[in-house]
Amino acid sequence: MKTCPWKNSAELARAWAAVLTEAEALMRGDETAYDALDDAGYTLEQPYRSTGRVKWAAWKLLPLFTQILDRTERTEYRYEAPGDYSAVTEEALAGIWVDDAGTTVLLFSEDGCRIVYPELELLGETAYPFRVRDRSSVGYCPELDIDYLQNDFSAPLVYYVSGIDDTHFWSNTQNECFRRLA
């Protein structure tokens, strides 16, 4: 019997995000993505432009992400004192984060943020631009914006980040906490 080479679902989620990133690059016509396929010994007969296939693939792997959500220990939000606002950066967010309610997975990388929120049919198939806005000059915590609708940050998904450390980030304003999975 063969054993799965993945030690846990977080490693598989990270690998799947990389596959989706390559699929997006193929759809954009990115030459480096085609070169990577050539290096692997595969040449596409025609340009890859199927957003439907990427969406289908994301749906097929939804059980992977829901498994991550199902395994998340549900905890009630607990207020935490604000942290060092300067620690809240795009680099500090790199990794996989799961909210304590077990409803959302955020996968941050240099490619963007993949959102897995099954109730909104966000399945991680797209890496959305994200940014951290410093609002300390007016006495507010940093704002994490994920641009999943407009491509101009006019209506982003927003988290007001009260603090971050190696294990979690929290929002006292929104009564939410995300735990680092990987």
Side-chain angles (χ1 to χ4, degrees):
M1 172 194 243
K2 285 188 172 180
T3 59
C4 180
W6 303 102
K7 293 180 184 175
N8 60 46
S9 55
E11 289 179 23
L12 186 54
R14 187 178 298 112
W16 180 238
V19 168
L20 291 173
T21 296
E22 288 301 312
E24 288 176 331
L26 288 170
M27 288 190 309
R28 285 192 314 269
D30 185 334
E31 289 300 319
T32 59
Y34 287 100
D35 292 344
L37 284 177
D38 288 340
D39 290 346
Y42 183 81
T43 303
L44 286 176
E45 300 288 323
Q46 57 189 336
Y48 183 85
R49 301 269 190 258
S50 177
T51 56
R53 284 184 180 180
V54 174
K55 187 78 167 179
W56 174 84
W59 272 106
K60 293 303 266 184
L61 286 178
L62 184 58
L64 162 72
F65 294 117
T66 56
Q67 180 184 39
I68 292 171
L69 292 171
D70 289 344
R71 290 183 178 185
T72 300
E73 182 179 326
R74 306 311 197 263
T75 57
E76 292 286 323
Y77 172 77
R78 185 176 42 88
Y79 175 87
E80 291 188 51
D84 176 7
Y85 291 164
S86 67
V88 182
T89 64
E90 286 91 354
E91 295 79 20
L93 289 165
I96 302 173
W97 302 82
V98 182
D99 71 334
D100 278 350
T103 60
T104 308
V105 178
L106 301 175
L107 297 99
F108 291 98
S109 71
E110 66 275 354
D111 299 314
C113 178
R114 295 184 183 282
I115 305 167
V116 179
Y117 192 155
E119 289 179 16
L120 295 180
E121 294 188 15
L122 294 169
L123 308 175
E125 72 274 13
T126 302
Y128 298 108
F130 70 96
R131 68 183 180 193
V132 173
R133 290 186 6 177
D134 179 5
R135 303 177 325 145
S136 60
S137 64
V138 291
Y140 296 143
C141 68
E143 178 180 305
L144 167 60
D145 297 331
I146 305 170
D147 189 23
Y148 79 106
L149 289 177
Q150 303 296 323
N151 293 324
D152 63 2
F153 287 99
S154 63
L157 176 61
V158 175
Y159 295 98
Y160 299 107
V161 183
S162 302
I164 190 169
D165 63 22
D166 290 340
T167 63
H168 68 297
F169 73 84
W170 63 97
S171 170
N172 291 332
T173 306
Q174 294 161 298
N175 296 336
E176 286 189 276
C177 182
F178 281 82
R179 305 282 170 191
R180 183 186 297 271
L181 188 61

